[in-house]
Amino acid sequence: MDVFPGRLYQASEVENISGLEEIAAISENKCFRCGNTNPVLFGEMDCAFCGKETCVYCRNCIVMGRVNSCQSLYYRKTSTLAETKSALLNWDGTLSKGQQKASNAVVDSLEQSRNMLLWAVAGSGKTEMMFEGMNWALRKGYRVCLASPRVDVCLELHPRLKAVFPTVEIVCLYGDSEDKYQGEQFVLATTHQLIRFYEAFQVIFIDEVDAFPYAKDPFLEYAVEKSRTKEGATIVITATPEKKWQQECANGKRHFVKIPARYHRRKLPVPRLCWIGPWKKKLTQGKISPKLITWINNIKLKKQPALIFFPEIEAMNNFAEVLATYGFEKPVTVHSADGARKEKVEWLRERKIDLLLTTTILERGVTFTDVQVAVFGSEEKIFTEAALVQIAGRAGRKMTHPTGDVCFFHYGKTAEMNRAISHIKKMNELGLAEGMLDD
């Protein structure tokens, strides 16, 4: 579990728990580490440890080391640190009306050990809304974790958190991370990493809770629950909660706070629709719609950076090849398996490039100044309402550039596209009604 590698502990510091348990009522096994109860994901082996020929083990999390029914998992007992009255948060920014409302709600929920959904639009400054809650928990001596399903989000937040909590030990854990957990009070991690922890944190923040893979993987939800102490609190943050959660909020079954406006008090950019015909067929013919070529030329004239989102890697790569035949420099592409994606994102930020083609990997968790956004083939199934709302949320995020163009280039309108536009318009209306927008 979360016993630190390379360190020795007294027996009183370490406890153990059965790796697999049998649920008698339903005659099924359960893996304590990952929560697996699927019979298909268990196997039997001839075990040298217990001598049985049918020793059961979990195949679901075997990549982390085999968990056998005859063996235990060991973990270090979690303890809070000494409470401090010293200020740990070093941030001289000012919260907007909406941000202050959310910040107060976060602190109140933590004081009451009550779970909460922070429902705030993309670009509203959700990280800043968490600062006071994090500060409260760290000063209490609590162990805090900020988790996200996306590595990109962790990489973006790590330097920001180190800057505002300069005296707090913070570690960033993800698949390829060189950092190792050594008992730091503040852990920033992908949700997968929480499988390694058991009741290690009093407070957990989950950013982008609706993002893949967390939203589609029940094992990750189990990992988060297992890693937090029973008396602790979890704050989940997103701009696009799933429909069930939205209904629970409306029915009073879920504790939440909704922030419908950005900190700079300007409306969210509302996407516009642009029909480009059978784009797949055109790409195979080496053609791109003149409407999209015009869009690219316009942003180049204005010297603005741009993101174009694609439904699949193949379409993105074909587009890049064809675009080069139109006299443009071949654009840079990025996707989830791209080992250089962190560097490519920085190229766009630093304006070493003006155009970046991407899959939905950059739909959330990244911020650019004055970026213009297009979705190519927005009618494709991968572009759900949530995905399109998040993509549109890349534009107009900065105080210096609070507006931006968002265009859905499509071969037919979908219900998801219409819902995304309606979602954004409703947030703007609510922001006006609550006095959080100037216009």
Side-chain angles (χ1 to χ4, degrees):
M1 304 294 278
D2 70 334
V3 173
F4 317 148
R7 293 180 62 178
L8 298 176
Y9 294 91
Q10 296 180 1
S12 60
E13 294 182 274
V14 179
E15 291 189 352
N16 68 297
I17 194 166
S18 297
L20 297 184
E21 60 179 330
E22 185 176 350
I23 307 173
I26 54 177
S27 299
E28 286 186 354
N29 292 302
K30 179 179 180 179
C31 175
F32 182 80
R33 181 167 63 188
C34 72
N36 171 39
T37 57
N38 186 348
V40 176
L41 295 177
F42 288 101
E44 294 182 349
M45 61 175 286
D46 188 350
C47 182
F49 188 81
C50 67
K52 294 182 179 179
E53 295 182 355
T54 57
C55 184
V56 179
Y57 67 95
C58 178
R59 299 194 310 206
N60 187 59
C61 59
I62 197 168
V63 69
M64 299 171 62
R66 190 170 56 234
V67 177
N68 290 7
S69 59
C70 65
Q71 294 175 311
S72 298
L73 293 172
Y74 293 84
Y75 63 95
R76 182 174 183 261
K77 296 178 183 178
T78 298
S79 59
T80 57
L81 304 178
E83 190 170 344
T84 179
K85 295 182 179 180
S86 301
L88 299 177
L89 177 62
N90 182 22
W91 185 66
D92 57 3
T94 302
L95 297 178
S96 68
K97 178 181 177 180
Q99 288 176 313
Q100 190 63 61
K101 175 183 175 181
S103 178
N104 293 343
V106 168
V107 173
D108 183 63
S109 291
L110 295 182
E111 288 177 340
Q112 298 182 51
S113 296
R114 186 181 186 187
N115 297 338
M116 189 188 82
L117 165 64
L118 172 52
W119 180 357
V121 297
S124 57
K126 293 188 285 292
T127 304
E128 288 77 8
M129 298 176 195
M130 295 185 279
F131 283 168
E132 279 298 341
M134 292 173 174
N135 186 52
W136 178 87
L138 292 168
R139 290 180 64 186
K140 291 284 287 185
Y142 292 164
R143 297 187 181 276
V144 176
C145 177
L146 172 56
S148 172
R150 296 287 182 89
V151 174
D152 306 79
V153 175
C154 294
L155 294 175
E156 175 128 335
L157 291 178
H158 191 205
R160 295 179 63 188
L161 293 173
K162 288 178 67 176
V164 298
F165 293 107
T167 63
V168 178
E169 290 186 334
I170 303 177
V171 65
C172 186
L173 306 177
Y174 54 93
D176 296 326
S177 172
E178 295 181 359
D179 288 353
K180 301 295 181 183
Y181 178 61
Q182 297 292 322
E184 290 83 358
Q185 185 181 7
F186 199 159
V187 172
L188 177 60
T190 56
T191 47
H192 281 89
Q193 294 295 316
L194 296 190
I195 293 175
R196 302 176 183 275
F197 293 86
Y198 175 55
E199 294 190 355
F201 310 104
Q202 284 77 31
V203 173
I204 296 181
F205 295 87
I206 309 178
D207 197 16
E208 307 292 0
V209 70
D210 64 306
F212 178 85
Y214 184 86
K216 303 295 183 182
D217 192 341
F219 296 124
L220 294 180
E221 185 175 353
Y222 171 84
V224 170
E225 292 177 358
K226 178 171 63 68
S227 66
R228 200 205 73 193
T229 58
K230 293 178 176 61
E231 69 277 7
T234 300
I235 308 295
V236 295
I237 308 107
T238 183
T240 48
E242 59 178 272
K243 288 290 187 290
K244 179 184 176 183
W245 286 22
Q246 293 185 34
Q247 292 170 355
E248 290 174 352
C249 291
N251 296 333
K253 295 181 179 180
R254 180 175 291 272
H255 179 51
F256 77 104
V257 61
K258 183 189 288 188
I259 309 302
R262 289 175 166 171
Y263 67 96
H264 54 53
R265 302 183 60 84
R266 298 290 293 275
K267 287 183 178 179
L268 301 169
V270 178
R272 57 191 181 90
L273 303 177
C274 185
W275 185 84
I276 56 173
W279 54 268
K280 290 182 181 179
K281 180 179 179 180
K282 289 181 179 179
L283 277 182
T284 62
Q285 297 172 345
K287 298 178 182 178
I288 296 174
S289 170
K291 296 176 182 177
L292 191 47
I293 296 297
T294 298
W295 187 86
I296 295 173
N297 279 325
N298 285 340
I299 60 173
K300 282 189 172 293
L301 285 173
K302 297 176 183 177
K303 297 182 179 180
Q304 295 170 316
L307 284 170
I308 304 181
F309 288 83
F310 290 82
E312 56 192 27
I313 295 175
E314 183 180 1
M316 177 178 67
N317 290 338
N318 289 343
F319 184 94
E321 295 287 345
V322 174
L323 188 63
T325 68
Y326 280 75
F328 295 94
E329 182 180 349
K330 186 178 178 180
V332 174
T333 62
V334 66
H335 53 85
S336 60
D338 190 337
R341 76 171 186 255
K342 180 181 178 182
E343 291 82 357
K344 291 178 178 181
V345 168
E346 287 303 317
W347 292 348
L348 189 66
R349 284 205 184 100
E350 297 169 3
R351 300 303 300 275
K352 293 179 179 178
I353 59 174
D354 294 322
L355 177 62
L356 182 60
L357 311 187
T358 179
T359 59
T360 54
I361 189 65
L362 296 185
E363 75 177 29
R364 61 180 81 212
V366 292
T367 298
F368 303 94
T369 300
D370 199 26
V371 73
Q372 312 302 300
V373 177
V375 180
F376 185 78
S378 59
E379 76 281 0
E380 293 291 291
K381 288 185 179 180
I382 195 169
F383 292 123
T384 62
E385 173 191 342
L388 292 171
V389 169
Q390 291 283 359
I391 287 170
R394 299 312 98 201
R397 297 169 70 92
K398 292 288 189 176
M399 179 75 77
T400 54
H401 298 85
T403 61
D405 184 36
V406 180
C407 189
F408 294 166
F409 291 96
H410 65 91
Y411 183 36
K413 297 179 184 178
T414 64
E416 298 295 324
M417 291 160 59
N418 290 332
R419 280 196 284 264
I421 293 172
S422 176
H423 181 130
I424 293 169
K425 287 181 176 179
K426 287 179 180 177
M427 283 298 190
N428 283 337
E429 291 170 2
L430 185 58
L432 286 170
E434 294 192 9
M436 295 184 186
L437 294 175
D438 291 329
D439 185 12

